[in-house]
Structure formats: C-alpha cells, structure tokens
Amino acid sequence: MSECTHNCSTCSANCSSRTEKQSLLAKPHELSHVKKIIGVCSGKGGVGKSMVTSLLAVLAQRQGLKVGILDADITGPSIPRAFGLKEKAGGTDQGIFPVRSTTGIDVMSLNLLLENDTDPVVWRGPVIAGAVGQFWTDVVWGDKDILFIDMPPGTGDVMLTVCQTIPVDALILVTTPQELVEMIVEKALKMANLMEIPVMGLVENMSYLACPDCNKHIELFGKSRVDEIADRYNIPLTAKLPIDSKLTGGVDKGMIELFNGDWLDKIADAIYDMPAKKDC
Ligand code: ADP
C-alpha cells in the first residue's frame, strides 16, 4: 500500500487515517435517470411487501409518473406474477432492458431472466446482493420519476448491502398485526436508523377484514397498534390494508393494475410530493 497522503478525496483505501465514511453507492447505468427511490421492506417474508410495492407502483403510475420496480426479493420474486408478465427481459451489449407492464410500469426481476421461473435460487447472501446491485448498475431504466425497490425480506446482510449500494431515499415498512407485537418491526426500524434512511411510512397489512354485508372492520388479530408504534418511532405516515380476496385474486390473475382501494393514497401522495434527487 502506498504511503498515506492524508487526502482521503483522492484515495480509496480504508486506512485508520480516514475521517469520513466511504460511500459504497454504485453508479446507475449511464442511460438511467431516476429521480426518487423508495424501498419497501419488512422484518420478515410473507407479510405483503410485494403486494404493497405493487399497489404503490400502480398508484404512482395512475398519478401520471414514470415508474419502475426493481424486484430485489431474489429468492421470492413475486412482482412479475402480480403484473402478469410473461415475456423475458432482453439484453444487448448496452445493458439489460426491463419488461413493461400493460399500463407502462417497467419491471426487473430475477424471474424475468430465469428460463424456468419455478427454478429455486440457491445462492448465498453476497451473490444475491451482487445480483441486486446489477439490477441497478446494468439495467437500462431510462427516465424514471420513481423506482420502487421490493427489498429482500428481513434485516440481514442482503438488505444491508442493497441499502449501501443503491441510493434509497426513503423506506416504507410493511408489517402484519402479529409482527407489531413482536420485536421484528423494531429491529427493522433500528436497521433503517443505522443506515440513515428515513422510514416515511408504516403499513399494517392484513390489518382487518371488512364485513361484506355491513362493512364493519373485524380486527382478526387484535387491536391495531400501528399508530402507537409509528408515534414511538416518529414515522410520519401509517396505513392499514385489509385482508381482501380481490387483492389475492388480482395477484394470482396478474391483474393487480386493476385494483380498487384508497388504503395507500396518503402514502402515494407523500411520495409524489417528495423532492427529487438534485443530480437528476
Ligand atoms: P412478501 O413480499 O412480504 O413475501 P407477498 O406480498 O408476496 O409477501 O404476500 C404473500 C401472499 O399474501 C401473496 O399470495 C399475496 O397475494 C397475499 N396477500 C398479501 N397481502 C394481502 C392482502 N392484504 N389481502 C389478501 N392477500 C394478501
């Protein structure tokens, strides 16, 4: 190693003289210009993270924005199915091109690259994180007002690497009522804090069931605590998403773009109003 010049701006070594934190952020593809990046995360898998990502992307598209979804849930990629994407992603020597949904949302997911989308992905953490990094650096996203990232579930190394590699502006944390009484959500919030990414919204999924006759909200898993937790951690926005067979049906039929419901409108409006990155 060459001798330390004490000028960290011209040196990439992580020596003991380094006073500022070294950025690990990767540069996007030269043809990508993304104004805002919203990560949708959860303390564990299966709580509806992909559902919330899909709904928020559809709402943003309905607001007239140019929207992309980067599916970073490599081991459980469910975005292509929700949007009914059958076509595979193609590439040239310029880069990889996302697949466009019926209403114009660009999607990149490992399932769009695998020959057979039922093949399991038996990769270790660093390889998974590397693949997500390539979805940022090698995919030609073009001009996007918003890129939603369906984050890897949990608070492990993959989530950490993704947040260090891609300049995520804000996170939406998705939970279920059961999770809110455990420490999983608090772990996720502490991790976001550690990474210095603001959590702008807390979504309680499967919060209640609306009676089809009288619309009474039945809280199957007990009283909601989403507002109390949001207050405790200074999270500005909350939303409650019901268990709704129309949502499951929408995903199963690949027609999530046709969903009806105002549950996430406040969060979609706040994302719309967020200032864009300065360098775009
Ligand atoms: P995650 O991304 O957290 O692993 P998903 O979004 O894939 O979870 O959701 C898991 C399953 O639950 C999917 O089959 C999805 O369609 C279903 N689901 C999620 N949220 C709801 C909801 N609010 N109402 C009905 N089904 C839901």
Side-chain angles (χ1 to χ4, degrees), residues 41-42 44-55 73 76-79 81 150-151 153 174 204-208 241-252 256 263:
C41 60
S42 63
K44 62 176 189 189
V47 299
K49 180 175 51 60
S50 307
M51 175 71 83
V52 171
T53 308
S54 306
L55 299 181
D73 193 349
S78 28
I79 298 289
R81 184 161 148 254
D150 187 359
M151 288 286 191
V174 183
E204 187 178 61
N205 189 23
M206 310 194 195
S207 178
Y208 60 89
L241 203 57
I243 300 178
D244 188 334
S245 59
K246 285 200 213 81
L247 288 176
T248 334
V251 168
D252 292 345
I256 200 63
W263 316 288

Side-chain angles (χ1 to χ4, degrees), residues 4-13 15 17-20 22:
C4 179
T5 58
H6 300 286
N7 181 0
C8 300
S9 63
T10 58
C11 170
S12 63
C15 81
S17 298
R18 181 171 289 281
T19 48
E20 309 145 9
Q22 196 181 359

